[in-house]
């Protein structure tokens, strides 16, 4: 049977989503270890996408096949009992046999959280980038308009070895201020390149600090050169918020 | 000059508020170390009260005397620059010379946070007690009525060596459910004995679980015996929320 799960995790102490040979501190690795204990066989967990080291998730989606017929709710209970405190499965259901959480994803939303005040809230400190300076959000919105739509985002790609298409569509960039000195930027699109959200967030912050003009965004996109875009914002402020599957789920 | 500060801290990695000989991991110790660096002299920080190891604060209040005349805002900036990420000063002002944060406190509010769901939210896990069971909140409210008012709370005192009066007044016990499976209980009163809030929270949880009847509260108070009350709820769920000073500040 094919089971799909929705999970949240605090990425602080992990080396990212993807299982690696040289570390057992990955989200995928933790999930597979518990599922192999449950099923007595090797289990491969497919995520909707990798998250980098230190990146968090509110709504990561993953699926895996089990030989046994088990209730999805029981599998979720078992996972939550044996997973560490910083990984939680909050929903689980049986999926069509051919469902694949990465291949069938049609839309994703990431959120980048910035603290503009002099010091981060002590209870939220692991989930914010501490910029410590005020941003001109109107300028950032003007830049965001130029980044929205279908573009070649090669300038915003952290991987040099990317040989496939770097064209993606950003449907929406939203700016939310939950408090006067906090800014959340959420990016919704059909797919994101490696470190793309962090480079977008870093570039937008440079606009908000007056280091770049909003109009530069068009030139940066055209250049197709990572060096033209801004800094890669730290992973601690980034959340994978939601993955959508259209009519599939 | 006498400076009063308001601070929040994540108590997880501290051995409580009060400076101790055998550990440098106390809130008071961290504050005094930074202030001594600032002033070049020994500084004694007075807190509104001690918090136990692992207990958090949203609005702890403390004061200290400095030989130099400095702007309170500058002292706050200096503290935030050199204090660790899990301690933050969010307000500072000059206080009357004879103001003392413990002696002049007229009212305090503590909050105890309980997760009733099977697993704690990963981003809030350090700030909730993970009960993992549903509570009958109406029964807890009935018990809380009997605990409100002026009573001898010796049964709810964690210290055996308490020689002074154990009479205190609880003005209000409030139950708030920020989400269906989360419960916050806040206790407002003129003063609290050692571990009193945690023992009250533990006893109320036992009522909510059906292990004790609400009416038992009167008998427990009368007994003046720690063994008659419920368990001491873990420190991770406890916050010192607010300290009030009447007209003094």
């Amino acid at each position: 049977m094919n089971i799909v799960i929705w999970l949240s995790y605090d990425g602080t102490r992990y080396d990212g989503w993807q299982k690696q040979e040289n570390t057992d501190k990955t989200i995928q690795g933790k999930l597979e270890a518990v599922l192999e204990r449950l099923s007595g066989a090797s289990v491969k967990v497919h995520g909707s996408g990798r998250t980098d080291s230190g990146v968090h998730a509110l709504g990561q989606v993953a699926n895996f096949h089990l030989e046994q017929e088990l209730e999805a709710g029981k599998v979720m209970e078992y996972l939550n009992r044996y997973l560490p405190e910083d990984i939680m499965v909050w929903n689980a259901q049986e999926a069509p046999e051919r469902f694949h959480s990465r291949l069938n994803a049609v839309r994703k939303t990431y959120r980048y959280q910035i603290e503009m005040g002099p010091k981060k809230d002590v209870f939220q400190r692991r989930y914010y980038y501490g910029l410590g300076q005020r941003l001109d959000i109107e300028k950032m919105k003007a830049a965001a308009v130029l980044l929205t739509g279908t573009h070649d985002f090669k300038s915003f790609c952290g991987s040099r070895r990317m040989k496939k298409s770097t064209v993606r569509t950003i449907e929406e960039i939203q700016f939310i201020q939950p408090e006067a000195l906090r800014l959340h930027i959420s990016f919704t699109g059909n797919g994101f390149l490696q470190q793309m959200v962090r480079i977008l967030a870093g570039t937008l912050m440079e606009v908000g600090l007056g280091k770049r003009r909003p109009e530069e965004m068009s030139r940066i996109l055209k250049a197709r050169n990572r060096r033209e875009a801004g800094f890669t914002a730290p992973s601690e402020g980034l959340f994978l918020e939601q993955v959508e599957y259209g009519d599939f789920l």
Side-chain angles (χ1 to χ4, degrees), chain A:
Chain A
M1 68 187 303
N2 190 8
I3 290 181
V4 53
I5 58 172
W6 283 258
L7 63 156
S8 55
Y9 46 82
D10 174 344
T12 308
R13 64 184 196 97
Y14 291 97
D15 297 317
W17 168 268
Q18 192 176 39
K19 200 170 171 179
Q20 295 167 36
E21 293 259 319
N22 56 340
T23 169
D24 66 343
K25 298 202 79 62
T26 67
I27 315 293
Q28 185 189 10
K30 293 288 176 197
L31 288 166
E32 291 183 356
V34 176
L35 289 167
E36 284 169 10
R37 179 174 170 170
L38 169 68
S39 75
S42 168
V43 178
K44 169 99 176 135
V45 174
H46 307 278
S48 75
R50 304 171 192 177
T51 50
D52 289 345
S53 176
V55 173
H56 318 292
L58 286 159
Q60 171 67 291
V61 180
N63 74 293
F64 48 85
H65 293 266
L66 291 181
E67 293 172 19
Q68 298 92 333
E69 289 296 312
L70 293 166
E71 263 183 66
K74 295 284 177 201
V75 175
M76 176 168 86
E77 268 178 38
Y78 189 90
L79 279 165
N80 282 332
R81 184 152 55 237
Y82 293 108
L83 284 168
E85 273 206 328
D86 47 11
I87 306 177
M88 179 172 75
V89 180
W90 52 267
N91 192 24
Q93 61 182 60
E94 198 177 340
E97 214 36 48
R98 64 195 181 85
F99 172 80
H100 187 290
S101 54
R102 179 168 52 82
L103 301 176
N104 298 125
V106 296
R107 194 184 286 114
K108 278 187 188 172
T109 301
Y110 282 92
R111 183 204 293 177
Y112 199 84
Q113 302 194 160
I114 302 158
E115 172 63 58
M116 297 184 276
K119 193 158 179 171
K120 294 193 269 188
D121 178 294
V122 297
F123 307 108
Q124 298 277 328
R125 67 189 188 278
R126 291 186 178 82
Y127 317 121
Y128 274 83
Y129 168 54
L131 176 67
Q133 299 175 75
R134 287 183 190 240
L135 291 164
D136 183 332
I137 295 166
E138 290 313 309
K139 281 193 184 152
M140 295 170 80
K141 284 183 182 171
V145 168
L146 301 173
L147 295 166
T148 305
T150 303
H151 303 287
D152 186 337
F153 285 97
K154 191 154 197 277
S155 294
F156 296 90
C157 178
S159 165
R160 290 186 191 176
R161 291 166 302 176
M162 184 72 182
K163 298 231 167 86
K164 296 180 198 164
S165 166
T166 44
V167 174
R168 295 289 185 280
T169 300
I170 297 184
E171 296 175 29
E172 194 174 21
I173 303 178
Q174 271 193 300
F175 295 79
I176 294 156
Q177 280 186 271
E179 294 188 24
L181 289 173
R182 287 192 190 161
L183 177 64
H184 297 179
I185 314 176
S186 60
F187 302 84
T188 300
N190 66 349
F192 293 89
L193 304 165
Q194 201 178 317
Q195 297 188 331
M196 178 169 152
V197 179
R198 289 164 59 191
I199 301 170
L200 286 166
T203 307
L204 288 170
M205 279 191 266
E206 291 177 6
V207 170
L209 290 170
K211 293 180 181 171
R212 289 173 183 272
R213 286 171 299 109
E215 309 87 72
E216 283 179 56
M217 299 304 113
S218 308
R219 183 182 57 71
I220 296 171
L221 284 168
K222 243 177 237 147
R224 301 182 72 248
N225 181 343
R226 170 68 189 91
R227 276 168 292 180
E228 295 296 315
F231 82 113
T232 306
S235 56
E236 65 204 49
L238 185 61
F239 285 80
L240 171 54
E241 191 171 346
Q242 196 185 16
V243 187
E244 291 170 76
Y245 291 94
D247 297 333
F248 214 118
L249 280 185

